[in-house]
Amino acid sequence: MTLRLPIYCPKKRLYALRTFIIALVTAAVIFVPFIIINGGVFYYYGDFNVQEISFYQMAHDTVRSGQLGWSHITDLGSDFLSSYSFYLLGSPFFWSTIPFPSEVVPYLIGPLLIIKFACAALSAYLFLRRYVQNKNYAVLGGLLYAFSGFSIYNVFFFHFHEPMIMFPLLLAALDAFIYDKKRVVFAIAVFCSCVVNYYFFVGQVLFVIIYYLMITLTKTYKFRIKDFLILALEVLIGFAATAFILLPSVLGLMGNPRLDSFPQGWDSLVHNKPQRYWLIIAGFLFPADMPAFPVFTPESNCKWASVAGWLPLFGMTGVIAFLQTRKRDWLKKLIVLLMLFAFVPVLNSMFQLMNSSIYYARWFYMIVLMFALATIRALEDKSADWNRAIGWSAGITAGMALLIGLMPNITKNDDGTETFVLGVQAKFEIFWIYVLFALMSILAFVLILKKFKPHKKRFILMTVIGTLIVSIVTSVFIIAIGVKSSSADIVIKENIINRRDGIKVDDIDEVRSDFYECIDNTAIFWQIQSINCFQSSVSTSIMQFYNAMGIERDVASRPETANYGLRGLFSCKYLFDYRNDGKAGSENSFIDEDGKTKMPYWKYVKTCNGFDIYENECYIPMGFTYDSFVTEEEFERVNDAQKTEAILYSMVLSREQMKKYSEITGYSDEKYKLLYGKNPDYFDSVVDTYRFNAKKYKEQCEKLADSSCTNFEYTDDGFKAEYKNDGEENLLFFSVPYSSGFSAKVNGSSVEIEKVNYGFMAVKIPAKTDCKIEFTYETPGFSTGVAVSLTALGVFCIYICILGYYGIRRKKKHFDSNGTD
């Protein structure tokens, strides 16, 4: 039996507009004070400050310039589309910034965030309104969803709200297809959801499948093969139409080590951190915990996992009331199933393509929407036992608070002594404030229930007002903690945002720079080339290189000073050290306690924007040749600690490449028979003769600099260089990440690009020739993706025409039958 209700809503009441305006004003009350305090820009902390703002401005300028292929500014270089499609390229909010000047973009982030909250409330309302007779409850549900713990938690991740907006619309479109026989809309919803964010779309697809199966198996919806086939067609059309952005994104991320870890063993069934179970429960009972600063379960290893889902004012009270009703319902079964998915690691990982490299609960907004639906349905259900539900909700909340907050605990101090404390939470005061918020919210709901329940209009009005007040108070508190915890906003505001012109270095745009213990992505703010980058979806060649060097590269490239050899390899000429970050000898200062730089052969040049700028005396211009070549098997003999220096002595090639260029590399099967035979340890390799120290490093850098390009220049679609080869033919190396999208020409003739040094590019140059080299980039899969998208669009148009034709026929047949009667 279908439990949906007919949509009864006089248009003049404009419930949708009311939802949007209420959420807009509420979000403005939360965020505008912080915007005003910081001079017009909304600063938060962590990823928000250094990723979201910098990415928006850089991508904005990139789009306006039309240089949409290779991004020289992203790490050592990466494909622009695949690097930023996850973050912002599919977002309509990002594209709304394009008409504005570059310097205005940071000031748009706050207003856009406010609008996102309003859109989330509106989209939730459009889904929820079908399931309640009084649409004011749907308005309330939209507000619960928009200001839930998940939404507030993920202010930290500015780009997470777009999927939150699209998900209810996807379900609303599916409902319209199933129950109202509306066609076309679901195909559009699938297209928009995937384009907005392909990562979140994976989880949404899984949810839609579960949702569809649940309403079918519970006989809420009567399955019809014809309707299913039409639905499948719309899914295929909508999905295929996204190929223009999806195909390049997938190709660009293939090989990313963060995507190749699958659940296995007991870790698939049980979380390896027991605290994680407590966190999942607490996430729905208390206001949102802080990303990077967990309060409830500090050792759950879930700092950025988005484990949050609290509904303001109600918490779990409405959900419990709904689950305790006697009615058999698809939503009850779905909620129970979703909680099972939340607690079992392998099921949880299904929402992110079975990836288990790190625990994420970034699909919890789906549970939140179902909890909001359960809550408003319970409010409208006269049989709901609210006294019982409140007792359970308050009891569980208080019980968990007492267990965590009063559990005897021994903590170790820095000096090795031990201290007895009560509570296993991270921050005593903040924890009990969270508890107070949760319990006071339940109390406020009790008062509203007792006072206004007999009067429906007043009751609804007061629950909305109570929800808004609780949302504002808790959200301002949480965001204020984040703002206060950030030490970066002042530096960004005074010396980084729109301060590029203050860097008075003539060739800063032509070379790479290093940033010592500085604000992440300062180079992206200034849009200059750098070896540092805090970005997860960069070229996989970068990931492969760092892995080969024995250096972890997960979300950011931050080579340590011990790996000073990379500065030479990467043609890094300048280093920035924020002078107010620490005194000489401190961790944040590039100068040690003896007054020397923490890497050899760097000299102070000048100070700009509060940054001390140093120049690399071992700078190697981009594009140089080696006089020694080794196989990957040889290079593996080098200790990880010396690999970043060793790679300056010899170019590392595969065995096949060594054979292919034997006239250059000196390879022969006879010479290498020991290495690839039964006794590889007896093979004498040049790597065994390497000696590592600062003096040797400088000598090798000078040697490579003498064999470097006389001219190098970044272009809109790649780069070009000039090299005067006075010797024999050789391989010319560029520390630009390898990509199949590059093509190269030497003196106008196409040449093959080789992937060398575990992830970079080299081309063969002729002997005794002045060479002009040009690399041109085209995003892999983009042209194919556009063709697929256009084909899907054509099929979509045909589909609409067929629907229109049969619609006209039905109307005509109906008219004829009525005329006959």
Side-chain angles (χ1 to χ4, degrees):
M1 176 180 176
T2 302
L3 294 178
R4 66 187 182 90
L5 297 170
I7 297 179
Y8 177 72
C9 176
K11 292 184 179 179
K12 64 180 181 180
R13 296 192 179 182
L14 301 174
Y15 287 104
L17 180 61
R18 185 186 307 174
T19 306
F20 181 85
I21 292 176
I22 292 174
L24 186 72
V25 172
T26 303
V29 171
I30 294 171
F31 292 105
V32 166
F34 296 104
I35 295 173
I36 294 174
I37 290 171
N38 283 304
V41 177
F42 176 69
Y43 297 103
Y44 196 29
Y45 73 106
D47 294 21
F48 186 95
N49 288 350
V50 301
Q51 280 194 327
E52 311 299 350
I53 300 176
S54 64
F55 288 176
Y56 251 66
Q57 189 169 32
M58 187 276 285
H60 165 277
D61 295 351
T62 300
V63 169
R64 283 175 63 111
S65 69
Q67 300 175 18
L68 304 180
W70 188 256
S71 173
H72 303 295
I73 297 168
T74 304
D75 210 299
L76 301 172
S78 291
D79 176 73
F80 177 72
L81 195 155
S82 63
S83 293
Y84 294 97
S85 56
F86 166 70
Y87 290 97
L88 48 77
L89 288 182
S91 169
F93 299 96
F94 164 72
W95 289 98
S96 69
T97 68
I98 300 302
F100 294 89
S102 174
E103 59 271 13
V104 176
V105 173
Y107 296 89
L108 298 176
I109 300 297
L112 287 176
L113 186 59
I114 293 170
I115 296 172
K116 285 185 182 184
F117 272 79
C119 290
L122 174 60
S123 67
Y125 164 81
L126 294 175
F127 167 69
L128 297 170
R129 62 179 179 173
R130 180 179 298 274
Y131 297 95
V132 288
Q133 187 169 10
N134 188 324
K135 298 302 170 286
N136 284 305
Y137 284 121
V139 174
L140 173 63
L143 297 173
L144 290 174
Y145 179 72
F147 296 97
S148 65
F150 185 91
S151 188
I152 299 302
Y153 180 106
N154 288 296
V155 168
F156 188 80
F157 301 108
F158 185 69
H159 54 292
F160 282 19
H161 288 84
E162 281 89 338
M164 280 193 68
I165 295 168
M166 285 308 308
F167 175 64
L169 297 179
L170 185 66
L171 292 185
L174 179 60
D175 281 352
F177 180 96
I178 291 171
Y179 301 125
D180 304 330
K181 307 300 181 184
K182 289 185 178 180
R183 305 299 184 241
V184 176
V185 180
F186 191 63
I188 296 174
V190 169
F191 170 79
C192 293
S193 295
C194 187
V195 167
V196 161
N197 194 296
Y198 60 84
Y199 170 83
F200 283 90
F201 180 69
V202 171
Q204 291 170 3
V205 169
L206 176 61
F207 187 94
V208 166
I209 293 172
I210 296 172
Y211 179 83
Y212 183 83
L213 290 174
M214 186 61 68
I215 61 176
T216 302
L217 295 175
T218 57
K219 298 182 180 181
T220 304
Y221 159 68
K222 185 177 180 180
F223 179 81
R224 297 178 180 86
I225 187 64
K226 178 183 175 182
D227 290 344
F228 176 76
L229 292 176
I230 295 174
L231 179 66
L233 177 62
E234 291 205 9
V235 170
L236 290 174
I237 291 173
F239 183 69
T242 67
F244 73 98
I245 191 171
L246 182 63
L247 184 58
S249 299
V250 171
L251 293 176
L253 292 175
M254 288 179 64
N256 191 313
R258 299 190 76 204
L259 303 176
D260 60 2
S261 178
F262 297 97
Q264 54 184 329
W266 274 103
D267 286 346
S268 302
L269 304 176
V270 182
H271 287 296
N272 55 13
K273 297 287 185 179
Q275 289 187 23
R276 200 168 288 167
Y277 293 103
W278 288 80
L279 178 60
I280 294 171
I281 298 172
F284 297 104
L285 294 176
F286 300 95
D289 208 344
M290 296 293 297
F293 306 113
V295 174
F296 288 86
T297 56
E299 296 177 8
S300 61
N301 194 23
C302 295
K303 286 187 175 182
W304 301 279
S306 300
V307 186
W310 184 70
L311 298 182
L313 184 66
F314 292 91
M316 289 293 289
T317 307
V319 179
I320 294 172
F322 176 76
L323 293 176
Q324 289 179 343
T325 56
R326 295 182 179 180
K327 294 179 180 179
R328 299 179 63 184
D329 194 280
W330 64 271
L331 183 56
K332 286 185 181 181
K333 294 179 174 63
L334 180 59
I335 288 175
V336 172
L337 182 61
L338 292 176
M339 293 310 297
L340 177 65
F341 271 73
F343 281 101
V344 180
V346 67
L347 298 179
N348 181 83
S349 68
M350 290 175 67
F351 284 96
Q352 48 188 13
L353 276 180
M354 303 302 292
N355 177 38
S356 63
S357 60
I358 188 170
Y359 171 75
Y360 284 138
R362 292 176 174 176
W363 61 280
F364 273 18
Y365 63 97
M366 304 178 191
I367 299 180
V368 169
L369 184 61
M370 296 302 106
F371 280 3
L373 175 57
T375 299
I376 62 175
R377 284 186 57 183
L379 288 170
E380 199 173 51
D381 190 344
K382 295 180 180 179
S383 67
D385 188 345
W386 285 102
N387 291 330
R388 186 182 179 195
I390 291 168
W392 276 99
S393 179
I396 296 172
T397 303
M400 175 164 276
L402 293 174
L403 285 172
I404 295 177
L406 299 180
M407 182 64 63
N409 188 27
I410 301 294
T411 61
K412 288 189 177 182
N413 303 316
D414 294 337
D415 59 3
T417 59
E418 295 182 343
T419 302
F420 175 82
V421 296
L422 282 180
V424 291
Q425 71 280 353
K427 299 283 187 179
F428 180 86
E429 297 84 359
I430 295 178
F431 170 80
W432 286 107
I433 291 174
Y434 277 132
V435 172
L436 181 64
F437 281 151
L439 293 178
M440 291 301 292
S441 294
I442 295 174
L443 177 60
F445 176 68
V446 170
L447 296 176
I448 293 172
L449 187 70
K450 299 297 184 184
K451 179 76 174 177
F452 300 102
K453 183 60 175 177
H455 310 283
K456 182 182 293 186
K457 290 184 178 180
R458 293 182 183 177
F459 176 68
I460 295 174
L461 177 62
M462 292 308 298
T463 54
V464 170
I465 293 175
T467 297
L468 297 180
I469 292 174
V470 171
S471 297
I472 291 170
V473 173
T474 56
S475 299
V476 168
F477 175 77
I478 293 168
I479 293 169
I481 293 176
V483 171
K484 185 179 179 181
S485 68
S486 174
S487 59
D489 52 345
I490 297 176
V491 182
I492 295 174
K493 177 169 57 177
E494 295 180 354
N495 295 307
I496 297 178
I497 282 186
N498 295 332
R499 297 294 189 271
R500 166 64 182 81
D501 292 340
I503 305 301
K504 304 298 183 182
V505 179
D506 293 338
D507 59 346
I508 194 67
D509 291 314
E510 284 76 48
V511 299
R512 287 184 179 138
S513 298
D514 188 9
F515 289 80
Y516 181 78
E517 297 294 334
C518 294
I519 302 299
D520 277 323
N521 290 334
T522 299
I524 292 182
F525 276 108
W526 291 341
Q527 299 185 35
I528 61 176
Q529 288 78 24
S530 173
I531 68 172
N532 310 96
C533 185
F534 178 27
Q535 221 267 33
S536 301
S537 51
V538 297
S539 170
T540 55
S541 293
I542 297 173
M543 306 284 194
Q544 292 163 8
F545 170 78
Y546 277 112
N547 181 62
M549 296 297 106
I551 301 172
E552 181 180 0
R553 202 296 182 191
D554 46 10
V555 298
S557 296
R558 305 185 185 106
E560 298 180 357
T561 54
N563 305 125
Y564 56 81
L566 292 182
R567 278 69 180 180
L569 182 74
F570 293 161
S571 300
C572 178
K573 189 173 183 179
Y574 297 106
L575 181 143
F576 290 79
D577 179 30
Y578 189 62
R579 63 160 43 189
N580 294 328
D581 222 13
K583 297 180 180 179
S586 69
E587 182 180 349
N588 292 330
S589 175
F590 186 56
I591 304 299
D592 63 22
E593 57 275 6
D594 297 326
K596 297 179 180 179
T597 57
K598 291 184 177 179
M599 290 190 293
Y601 305 110
W602 288 83
K603 65 177 181 179
Y604 171 79
V605 178
K606 62 173 66 176
T607 297
C608 298
N609 287 13
F611 290 82
D612 288 337
I613 304 175
Y614 297 83
E615 184 175 350
N616 187 3
E617 295 179 300
C618 295
Y619 168 65
I620 307 171
M622 180 73 80
F624 54 85
T625 59
Y626 287 83
D627 60 8
S628 174
F629 302 86
V630 297
T631 65
E632 293 173 351
E633 291 82 1
E634 288 180 87
F635 194 78
E636 285 302 311
R637 294 186 178 193
V638 180
N639 186 283
D640 283 352
Q642 279 84 45
K643 282 182 177 178
T644 54
E645 285 183 73
I647 203 162
L648 290 169
Y649 289 88
S650 300
M651 181 183 290
V652 183
L653 304 173
S654 67
R655 185 184 184 186
E656 290 72 22
Q657 289 172 322
M658 291 285 282
K659 282 185 178 181
K660 182 178 180 179
Y661 297 102
S662 59
E663 70 279 6
I664 298 174
T665 64
Y667 177 91
S668 69
D669 289 334
E670 178 66 23
K671 178 180 178 181
Y672 277 80
K673 66 180 181 180
L674 283 176
L675 180 63
Y676 295 104
K678 296 181 179 180
N679 299 298
D681 293 338
Y682 291 99
F683 177 76
D684 292 327
S685 173
V686 67
V687 301
D688 300 327
T689 66
Y690 295 161
R691 296 295 178 266
F692 306 106
N693 55 56
K695 183 179 179 181
K696 291 287 186 181
Y697 166 68
K698 184 178 183 181
E699 291 175 355
Q700 186 62 22
C701 287
E702 291 173 345
K703 181 179 179 180
L704 294 177
D706 290 339
S707 66
S708 64
C709 289
T710 56
N711 184 58
F712 178 87
E713 180 183 350
Y714 291 107
T715 61
D716 292 347
D717 58 354
F719 59 90
K720 58 184 180 181
E722 295 178 3
Y723 184 82
K724 187 175 181 180
N725 187 13
D726 296 327
E728 300 302 317
E729 60 182 8
N730 207 332
L731 293 174
L732 183 61
F733 169 80
F734 294 95
S735 59
V736 176
Y738 176 87
S739 171
S740 60
F742 276 107
S743 59
K745 291 182 178 181
V746 175
N747 292 335
S749 300
S750 296
V751 295
E752 187 176 357
I753 301 174
E754 297 292 344
K755 184 177 182 179
V756 304
N757 283 358
Y758 296 104
F760 299 106
M761 297 189 291
V763 292
K764 182 180 178 181
I765 53 174
K768 302 187 184 305
T769 305
D770 291 347
C771 303
K772 291 187 177 181
I773 304 99
E774 185 173 4
F775 279 69
T776 305
Y777 185 77
E778 182 179 343
T779 301
F782 180 70
S783 56
T784 302
V786 169
V788 173
S789 294
L790 291 176
T791 302
L793 178 60
V795 174
F796 185 57
C797 292
I798 295 172
Y799 173 65
I800 292 175
C801 291
I802 293 173
L803 290 176
Y805 171 74
Y806 280 103
I808 293 172
R809 282 191 60 182
R810 282 194 298 270
K811 287 182 180 180
K812 183 178 179 181
K813 185 177 180 180
H814 178 72
F815 176 79
D816 291 342
S817 62
N818 288 341
T820 302
D821 293 340

